[in-house]
Amino acid sequence: MQDLIAVIDADDVVLKTGSTKLDYMRQHFPHQGLIARIQPYECSRTALVPIVGLKFYEEMNAFIKSREGTLRTPALEGALRGIQELSELIQVNVLSARTPEETEFAREWLEKYGALPYVARVSSAEDPKYDGVPKISGKKKVDVALHLGAVLLVDDDERHMPEKQFDGLHSLLFGEGERKNTPQHITVARNWVEVVAYAQKLVPMPYL
């Protein structure tokens, strides 16, 4: 089924980037007590910057998104099977907030783990080819998703979610972490089983 399009994030939706972030913080962050109880699914930029500070986060993020950091990152539980199952329902596009160069490392990761054949497109929201995308939502990923005609947007960070409902676009906030005050137009998906189940509801019956 290729008429419908899904736009999914790479980090902490497919790659278990939070795990690599935790490893890095345990080795380099000077105040271990502040991070002792943090779980991998609590490692988005939005969650960590107030704890570790912007300077440390950006230093860590540079390593995490390097080729070395990317390729040592494990797959998130259920992601590889989930991408395959999702691709049987809907066209899968990976859209990352990484730079174009960093996104190529994510592409290499997908190839390494055998997931690339199930993905139609891997791109960076910061790619110059998207510079002309209409600024409708105030969120670059949302604007690109709308430009591509996506019906499904999956991301783990609230800052990439739309602030209001856009006709035809369903937004899933991904991850196990506690989600407080999630707007009604955003659905929480705690794992890949829930992502695939939600996508099944979007596919017209003749295709199932």
Side-chain angles (χ1 to χ4, degrees):
M1 172 59 183
Q2 299 297 319
D3 294 335
L4 301 179
I5 295 173
V7 168
I8 67 173
D9 188 23
D11 293 297
D12 286 317
V13 173
V14 182
L15 291 78
K16 195 174 181 179
T17 311
S19 178
T20 310
K21 287 179 180 178
L22 274 181
D23 289 343
Y24 185 95
M25 289 189 291
R26 287 166 180 162
Q27 294 179 40
H28 301 286
F29 190 60
H31 307 293
Q32 290 293 305
L34 295 178
I35 64 170
R37 297 184 179 181
I38 294 177
Q39 299 298 316
Y41 55 79
E42 298 172 319
C43 288
S44 70
R45 179 188 180 96
T46 300
L48 284 183
V49 168
I51 298 171
V52 303
L54 181 60
K55 183 176 183 295
F56 180 88
Y57 184 88
E58 290 184 340
E59 291 172 352
M60 174 179 66
N61 202 44
F63 170 75
I64 298 301
K65 294 182 178 179
S66 69
R67 184 175 185 271
E68 178 186 353
T70 299
L71 294 182
R72 73 162 56 174
T73 298
L76 194 142
E77 292 82 355
L80 300 177
R81 179 176 179 179
I83 287 177
Q84 182 176 354
E85 292 179 350
L86 188 64
S87 72
E88 295 170 359
L89 300 168
I90 190 170
Q91 184 190 103
V92 178
N93 295 263
V94 173
L95 181 68
S96 177
R98 292 172 173 234
T99 67
E101 180 182 8
E102 293 165 346
T103 300
E104 286 304 305
F105 303 145
R107 180 196 299 274
E108 186 177 352
W109 185 99
L110 290 165
E111 184 174 21
K112 173 184 175 182
Y113 280 87
L116 193 58
Y118 306 108
V119 177
R121 180 190 290 112
V122 182
S123 57
S124 165
E126 301 307 317
D127 193 305
K129 68 184 178 183
Y130 294 132
D131 286 349
V133 169
K135 298 179 180 179
I136 299 172
S137 70
K139 305 284 186 76
K140 188 63 178 288
K141 277 194 174 184
V142 178
D143 289 342
V144 173
L146 292 169
H147 172 72
L148 295 174
V151 299
L152 184 63
L153 173 66
V154 185
D155 204 287
D156 71 298
D157 198 330
E158 296 92 333
R159 66 196 176 100
H160 296 306
M161 290 281 102
E163 295 182 355
K164 66 176 184 178
Q165 179 67 55
F166 288 92
D167 289 343
L169 181 64
H170 300 256
S171 301
L172 298 185
L173 183 58
F174 184 90
E176 297 180 34
E178 182 180 0
R179 304 296 189 176
K180 297 180 180 179
N181 303 317
T182 303
Q184 290 187 347
H185 65 278
I186 296 173
T187 301
V188 174
R190 295 178 60 82
N191 52 53
W192 267 94
V193 171
E194 294 183 6
V195 172
V196 173
Y198 192 94
Q200 287 174 333
K201 296 187 293 185
L202 302 178
V203 179
M205 289 298 293
Y207 291 103
L208 293 177

